[in-house]
Amino acid sequence: MDFIFLDYTTLRVIWWLLLGVLLVGFAVMDGFDLGVGTLLPFVARTDEERRLVINTVGPVWEGNQVWLVLGGGAIFAAWPPLYAVSFSGFYLAMFVILFALILRPVGFKYRGKLQSQAWRDNWDRALFVGGFVPALIMGVAVGNVLLGVPFHFDDTQRVFYTGSFFGLLTPFALLAGLLSVAMLVAHGASMLVLKTEGPVAERSARLGSIAALISFVLFAAGGAWVALGLPGYAITSQVVTDGASNPLLKSVAITAAGGWLHNYSTMPATLLAPATGLLGALAAAVLLRRRRGGLAFIASGASIAGIILTVGFAAFPFLLPSSSQPGSSLVAWDASSSHLTLWIMLLATVLLLPIVIAYTIWVYRVLKGKTTLQEMGENPNAY
């Protein structure tokens, strides 16, 4: 078709990159909300301090959820088989995440409805669950991407998931989950240091620095595990990058330990991703110790981006490997929507994504500055 200027292969790569951008956007923008919720019981000891913590993210957490919607929408529209396998195979895990995420808005809205301290304490616990659980399970999910997931397609391309929820909780996946929690806690602590003062900021700086160091150690340990003990996946048949989306038209083999590192040897520039993940975590730890909230937020955000991109670059072109039938693995070349669909969606993204980014920048510019008890008292809309 003459009006389609980009070939199918290029569009698939672009949408693979856009998926990474959206996942990074969600982790960086909504990640500090999750980190703040996880930190709530540990950095705030009085009701006033807890209100202060909640109000640092109160005006922005709903807007940050846009990145989650965009990421889910991109998977649904650009990678339908990936959406089908993920949301059916990980059904219970997705339900737990959604339940935890639902607790957040309810906790924000209902916490201040009664003066009872027991009532408020219970909603504070709900906000902790709403931050900790999604961070943990999303990290576990990413860990299982590298491990492979037990699913397969039949001759009619119906998907069958043969695993279980608890089967996802392997040692490597749990390490990835704890890494996710640690890096988001450090990110949330950076926001609290940036937005608050006094004891809350001091506790946040101390705990955030520890979390950043833990994320450094866990990321390094995960990298060593991938290099020395974790098998990878490789396409063993001819690679057709512009053919029809049919996962059953290729053959895939499980490689020896270290197989996921192949892309780093053939594309050395991708080593910037793990380097950024490690150095960003160290920088965040140092900057939090020095109470430099803004710079720490940038460093922790860079670390998050580097960690996520490390997984993406290592796995490319795999989107979701199958551990039970490797030939059913989903890769960028056989799990996308049609050429025309990807092109139309790209046009819509080019028009709409800058609006989302511009609106986000404007909101944070309007809301810049410290959150204080005085401001909360003067604002009738404060939580």
Side-chain angles (χ1 to χ4, degrees):
M1 301 177 71
D2 294 336
F3 61 90
I4 299 180
F5 300 102
L6 296 176
D7 60 77
Y8 205 3
T9 300
T10 301
L11 280 171
R12 282 168 161 165
V13 173
I14 288 174
W15 271 102
W16 175 81
L17 291 171
L18 283 174
L19 179 60
V21 169
L22 293 174
L23 292 177
V24 169
F26 166 69
V28 172
M29 298 307 301
D30 204 28
F32 73 80
D33 293 348
L34 301 178
V36 168
T38 305
L39 283 168
L40 178 61
F42 308 103
V43 299
R45 297 176 181 174
T46 66
D47 186 67
E48 283 189 336
E49 288 181 349
R50 291 178 181 178
R51 288 191 62 212
L52 187 66
V53 170
I54 290 170
N55 279 280
T56 60
V57 298
V60 297
W61 71 268
E62 288 178 289
N64 292 338
Q65 296 271 303
V66 168
W67 292 96
L68 176 61
V69 176
L70 288 174
I75 295 174
F76 172 76
W79 312 102
L82 176 61
Y83 182 90
V85 174
S86 301
F87 282 76
S88 59
F90 299 162
Y91 183 81
L92 182 55
M94 293 290 182
F95 180 83
V96 173
I97 290 174
L98 288 175
F99 176 77
L101 290 177
I102 288 170
L103 285 178
R104 289 208 301 164
V106 178
F108 281 127
K109 302 296 184 182
Y110 279 83
R111 182 188 185 278
K113 297 298 183 182
L114 295 178
Q115 294 299 320
S116 166
Q117 192 58 49
W119 169 271
R120 295 188 174 189
D121 288 344
N122 286 330
W123 284 118
D124 290 339
R125 296 185 186 100
L127 289 172
F128 166 78
V129 171
F132 176 79
V133 171
L136 178 68
I137 295 182
M138 289 176 185
V140 168
V142 173
N144 276 282
V145 169
L146 294 178
L147 290 169
V149 177
F151 71 92
H152 65 274
F153 295 92
D154 66 8
D155 293 338
T156 63
Q157 294 195 41
R158 290 186 303 167
V159 62
F160 294 88
Y161 177 77
T162 56
S164 65
F165 172 77
F166 293 102
L168 300 174
L169 305 178
T170 61
F172 179 80
L174 288 173
L175 182 148
L178 293 175
L179 169 59
S180 174
V181 172
M183 70 183 190
L184 295 186
V185 165
H187 200 44
S190 300
M191 175 57 72
L192 288 175
V193 173
L194 176 64
K195 296 288 290 184
T196 65
E197 296 175 335
V200 170
E202 293 296 318
R203 297 181 198 119
S204 299
R206 184 174 62 255
L207 293 177
S209 180
I210 294 171
L213 290 175
I214 291 174
S215 68
F216 174 87
V217 172
L218 292 178
F219 185 42
W225 196 330
V226 169
L228 302 176
L230 195 70
Y233 290 76
I235 301 174
T236 56
S237 58
Q238 181 180 2
V239 178
V240 179
T241 62
D242 58 354
S245 289
N246 185 343
L248 302 178
L249 298 180
K250 66 178 182 308
S251 59
V252 174
I254 299 177
T255 67
W260 282 131
L261 303 181
H262 175 73
N263 286 341
Y264 291 109
S265 62
T266 58
M267 297 180 290
T270 57
L271 289 170
L272 288 173
T276 301
L278 291 169
L279 295 177
L282 285 180
V286 172
L287 291 166
L288 281 168
R289 283 289 183 183
R290 296 181 178 180
R291 311 301 188 262
R292 303 295 296 275
L295 292 176
F297 186 82
I298 294 172
S300 61
S303 178
I304 291 171
I307 291 170
I308 293 173
L309 293 177
T310 295
V311 177
F313 289 145
F316 183 80
F318 286 88
L319 300 172
L320 189 63
S322 170
S323 58
S324 56
Q325 291 189 14
S328 292
S329 299
L330 299 177
V331 301
W333 315 126
D334 61 19
S336 73
S337 294
S338 69
H339 191 176
L340 179 60
T341 300
L342 293 182
W343 175 247
I344 293 173
M345 287 175 52
L346 180 60
L347 293 179
T349 301
V350 169
L351 292 173
L352 297 178
L353 188 58
I355 296 175
V356 173
I357 295 174
Y359 171 76
T360 301
I361 294 172
W362 177 79
V363 167
Y364 281 89
R365 184 174 180 179
V366 170
L367 296 173
K368 68 180 179 180
K370 300 285 186 179
T371 301
T372 63
L373 295 175
Q374 179 181 355
E375 178 189 358
M376 288 163 43
E378 295 172 352
N379 182 2
N381 298 314
Y383 291 115

